[in-house]
Amino acid sequence: MTDVDLDSGDPPWADDDAPERDENTDDMFGGPAPAPESKPAAEARPVEPIPVSTPAPVEGDGEAYTVLARKYRPKTFEDLIGQEAMVRTLTNAFATGRIAHAFMLTGVRGVGKTTTARLLARALNNETDVIDRPSLTLTAFGRHDAAIMAGQHMDVMEMDAASHTGVNDIRDILESVRYAPVEARYKVYVLDEVHMLSNQAFNALLKTLEEPPPHAKFIFATTEIRKVPVTILSRCQRFDLRRVEPEILVEHLARIAGKEGMKVEDDALALIARAAEGSVRDGLSLLDQALVQGERGEPVATEVVRDMLGLADRSQTIALFEQIMAGRTPEAIETFRTLYGYGADPVQVTNDLLEHCHAASVAKMLGPNATRLPNDQAQRLAAMGAAVSAGTLSRTWSMLLKALDEVRRAPSPADAVEMAIVRLAYAADLPGPEEALKKLQNGEAPGGGSGAPRGGGGGGGGASAQLAMRPAAQPSLPDPQTFEAVVALIGEKREIALQMDVQRYVRPVSFKPGTLTYEPVDGAPANLATRLSSRLKDWTGRQWFVVANGQGGGETLIEVEKRGRAEERAEVQADPFVMAVLAAFPGAVVGEIRTLAPSVEMPAIPDEADEDND
């Protein structure tokens, strides 16, 4: 049938004359080309290597980035932060077998409601080589854990009630709840944002919640617990997931930053925790944003985070609040304009003023430690609270709330803040209705203690001008211009105990009329700043802010006096005449040193004889 010799072992297309392979190509199956035959040394020429630049490998190149909020989502109940009360209750319930058939998880955004629901579903269906019962001891080797956490388990149904609000969606659940689970111990139904269900859907769910089958468990999550019908709530075990405290959130964020190989300054972490408002997810999202702006090997600076969040320096907003409460309107407006120029958000500045007003009020009632602020800030706000009445702080709070709404709605938020500053400076210290009526009955001027804003340019006309012209019941004294003048004023007022405390325990840090910052000496009375600011306000008729911040003050007046006496004694002992006297009388010492009054020259009395001769 063919002319080709089939016994030769060569394919029909073989050609003895054709070369077996091209010397310039590699093997089609990836094999290396055969080594060339060796040639004489004279013909061999060295081949210069061609430099090829290979790009350095980039860490994580080609991999999809997972945001921190998902990457560090809690995998066990021990990973939940700030929810110890809920974990303790669930632990006791699972240990005793008193497991509810329905759970209601409520709390603000980002505190872990959905994560807790998935952890509960895993705990209800916990099954390992050593555990075959509902248990909160979760491991990474559970039979159903991976599918449940991925939302792919056939016996754990997750539904977003915000997009499935109708009764038909609930009917699908009620139809499937009658059947036993396929793989797991329980059928678990997780409904997120359950408050979005319609009334008909709630009514359809009610009967099943009242008499559920033994193999079904319901877990509900909501941010609006008040919108859930009471009939549903009464059939669920409710857990209120708390906002995470800033101190706990700061530690959590620092741990995660360390795991990511980055470092963030403590003050920057505090700013992030404050902006998160107790939400772990929001805090991790902000941390994600902050880490991007950091340089490898360098900590993320507080200024970077402040600019990222559009926040103003808290110490500057405290100074702004002090200026407003003292009625120094021009200074307050200039301070705000400086903050605004650095990028501070007017809404955030107003929020800060509200926080300062609240902190000053709390410190007035409970002390500086109740503010949960750094010591220097707490002391400044406590001094302000001591110098301002509770009624004034309450009115300031109300006016700031109104100002916040105006700032949010105004075409120019910055202009709205400035107008609020003007209004606050004029009206914050006005008396309440009862106090004004009492003053009118006593024939006194009903104006506030601070009167018109200091340095405010033009004053008001009409009735305001007439009130300003009335003589005050207690005329105020000029403001002392130095710290020594303050002590002298205390002495003039015969406040001996206060004068001794100021001389003994006050180390001045800075002073200007109306404001004194000092470092307290150990053993200083706790109410020294309050007493001093109160008495100065009574004497001068204006607010005085006396702050004990404990940072590098000078010498107390007692220490200055002792140092002066020591220098004077050393100068006297170094006098040559005194040294000669001490050498002439061995054992003699310099005793008390007194400055003698200069001799007074009496006028010459004329002689009687001279008068007679005249």
Side-chain angles (χ1 to χ4, degrees):
M1 297 296 295
T2 178
D3 296 332
V4 181
D5 186 5
L6 298 178
D7 297 332
S8 65
D10 294 331
W13 53 84
D15 187 358
D16 295 337
D17 298 334
E20 293 186 359
R21 62 176 293 134
D22 188 353
E23 296 178 356
N24 297 322
T25 60
D26 292 335
D27 189 347
M28 66 178 293
F29 298 105
E37 296 180 1
S38 60
K39 297 181 180 181
E43 298 180 3
R45 289 184 298 177
V47 178
E48 295 292 335
I50 300 176
V52 178
S53 61
T54 304
V58 180
E59 183 179 355
D61 189 17
E63 299 179 2
Y65 177 70
T66 304
V67 296
L68 298 182
R70 292 183 57 198
K71 184 176 180 180
Y72 294 98
R73 174 173 284 176
K75 296 179 174 58
T76 64
F77 281 95
E78 288 76 13
D79 296 338
L80 289 174
I81 62 172
Q83 311 301 337
E84 290 78 10
M86 179 193 69
V87 174
R88 183 171 56 252
T89 303
L90 286 174
T91 302
N92 296 335
F94 275 63
T96 58
R98 298 177 178 272
I99 304 174
H101 64 274
F103 301 90
M104 180 68 70
L105 308 176
T106 179
V108 298
R109 68 190 187 283
V111 293
K113 297 184 296 297
T114 304
T115 299
T116 303
R118 289 182 178 177
L119 292 177
L120 265 176
R122 287 176 57 195
L124 290 168
N125 293 315
N126 198 353
E127 184 179 346
T128 65
D129 295 338
V130 295
I131 299 175
D132 192 14
R133 60 181 176 81
S135 172
L136 266 65
T137 307
L138 302 178
T139 66
F141 309 104
R143 178 182 174 188
H144 310 287
D145 289 356
I148 291 175
M149 293 304 289
Q152 299 173 351
H153 199 285
M154 64 178 61
D155 290 327
V156 178
M157 174 182 175
E158 293 189 23
M159 188 182 81
D160 181 17
S163 55
H164 300 81
T165 62
V167 67
N168 292 330
D169 299 307
I170 297 300
R171 286 195 182 122
D172 293 339
I173 295 177
L174 302 182
E175 286 294 327
S176 66
V177 78
R178 297 182 300 174
Y179 302 103
V182 178
E183 295 180 348
R185 184 180 300 111
Y186 293 107
K187 270 194 169 183
V188 182
Y189 296 89
V190 179
L191 275 70
D192 198 8
E193 299 298 338
V194 70
H195 67 275
M196 300 292 288
L197 291 178
S198 64
N199 291 332
Q200 293 81 3
F202 276 124
N203 292 333
L205 187 62
L206 187 58
K207 186 62 177 179
T208 303
L209 279 183
E210 192 175 50
E211 298 177 358
H215 59 263
K217 301 290 183 181
F218 292 87
I219 305 175
F220 305 122
T222 178
T223 55
E224 298 286 345
I225 192 66
R226 293 173 296 178
K227 295 182 179 180
V228 179
V230 179
T231 52
I232 298 293
L233 288 176
S234 63
R235 289 164 172 82
C236 301
Q237 187 173 27
R238 172 176 168 177
F239 291 103
D240 292 293
L241 277 67
R242 302 173 55 187
R243 293 179 184 267
V244 180
E245 295 294 334
E247 299 83 6
I248 299 176
L249 188 53
V250 165
E251 295 177 1
H252 183 62
L253 297 176
R255 285 194 301 268
I256 290 179
K259 292 179 181 179
E260 292 293 309
M262 299 288 288
K263 182 173 177 57
V264 185
E265 293 182 357
D266 293 340
D267 291 342
L269 290 175
L271 290 177
I272 293 175
R274 170 188 166 201
E277 297 181 345
S279 170
V280 181
R281 184 176 64 235
D282 289 359
L284 290 176
S285 299
L286 293 174
L287 179 64
D288 224 338
Q289 186 178 351
L291 293 182
V292 174
Q293 306 187 44
E295 297 292 338
R296 179 67 65 177
E298 296 291 334
V300 180
T302 304
E303 292 75 13
V304 173
V305 174
R306 182 178 293 114
D307 292 342
M308 179 191 79
L309 298 175
L311 298 177
D313 187 357
R314 186 179 284 264
S315 62
Q316 294 297 321
T317 57
I318 292 178
L320 174 62
F321 188 54
E322 291 174 344
Q323 293 163 356
I324 291 173
M325 298 306 295
R328 302 197 295 271
T329 312
E331 297 178 33
I333 293 178
E334 288 298 330
T335 300
F336 168 71
R337 289 186 174 180
T338 302
L339 292 172
Y340 185 68
Y342 280 112
D345 181 14
V347 174
Q348 186 61 51
V349 171
T350 312
N351 274 319
D352 282 355
L353 294 176
L354 275 167
E355 291 183 11
H356 301 336
C357 183
H358 172 262
S361 304
V362 170
K364 187 179 186 69
M365 303 301 171
L366 303 178
N369 295 333
T371 62
R372 296 181 179 178
L373 294 174
N375 183 58
D376 56 338
Q377 299 176 10
Q379 292 292 344
R380 292 178 66 180
L381 292 172
M384 193 180 311
V388 181
S389 67
T392 298
L393 290 172
S394 178
R395 286 189 295 275
T396 303
W397 172 267
S398 300
M399 297 174 68
L400 282 171
L401 279 179
K402 185 176 184 297
L404 179 62
D405 182 61
E406 293 177 354
V407 172
R408 285 173 173 166
R409 293 186 293 106
S412 174
D415 293 349
V417 173
E418 293 184 1
M419 292 305 299
I421 290 174
V422 173
R423 185 165 63 246
L424 281 165
Y426 271 94
D429 201 27
L430 291 177
E434 297 84 0
E435 185 181 353
L437 179 60
K438 183 177 179 180
K439 287 188 174 184
L440 286 173
Q441 291 175 346
N442 294 335
E444 302 176 12
S450 62
R454 285 148 181 83
S464 299
Q466 295 176 8
L467 288 176
M469 294 174 61
R470 293 182 183 178
Q474 294 182 353
S476 60
L477 299 176
D479 290 339
Q481 300 299 308
T482 63
F483 173 65
E484 291 74 12
V486 169
V487 179
L489 177 60
I490 299 173
E492 292 175 7
K493 294 297 182 178
R494 305 293 183 181
E495 294 279 352
I496 305 302
L498 179 60
Q499 185 180 26
M500 291 299 297
D501 287 343
V502 172
Q503 291 176 336
R504 186 180 307 164
Y505 297 115
V506 174
R507 289 176 174 168
V509 176
S510 64
F511 177 87
K512 62 181 179 180
T515 303
L516 168 63
T517 303
Y518 72 93
E519 175 187 358
V521 178
D522 292 339
N527 64 343
L528 178 56
T530 304
R531 289 162 52 202
L532 181 56
S533 62
S534 176
R535 300 307 294 154
L536 288 174
K537 178 184 177 182
D538 293 341
W539 296 332
T540 63
R542 65 170 291 182
Q543 298 287 354
W544 278 75
F545 298 111
V546 182
V547 182
N549 69 349
Q551 296 180 354
E555 296 178 311
T556 65
L557 292 182
I558 295 294
E559 293 171 341
V560 171
E561 183 180 354
K562 288 182 179 179
R563 180 170 53 80
R565 288 201 300 265
E567 293 175 353
E568 182 182 21
R569 176 175 291 276
E571 183 180 356
V572 169
Q573 290 177 343
D575 186 88
F577 176 76
V578 175
M579 294 175 64
V581 171
L582 294 177
F585 298 95
V589 296
V590 178
E592 183 180 359
I593 300 175
R594 296 180 181 177
T595 301
L596 299 178
S599 58
V600 179
E601 295 184 5
M602 300 298 294
I605 301 177
D607 234 359
E608 293 181 1
D610 295 339
E611 291 180 0
D612 294 339
N613 294 333
D614 292 340

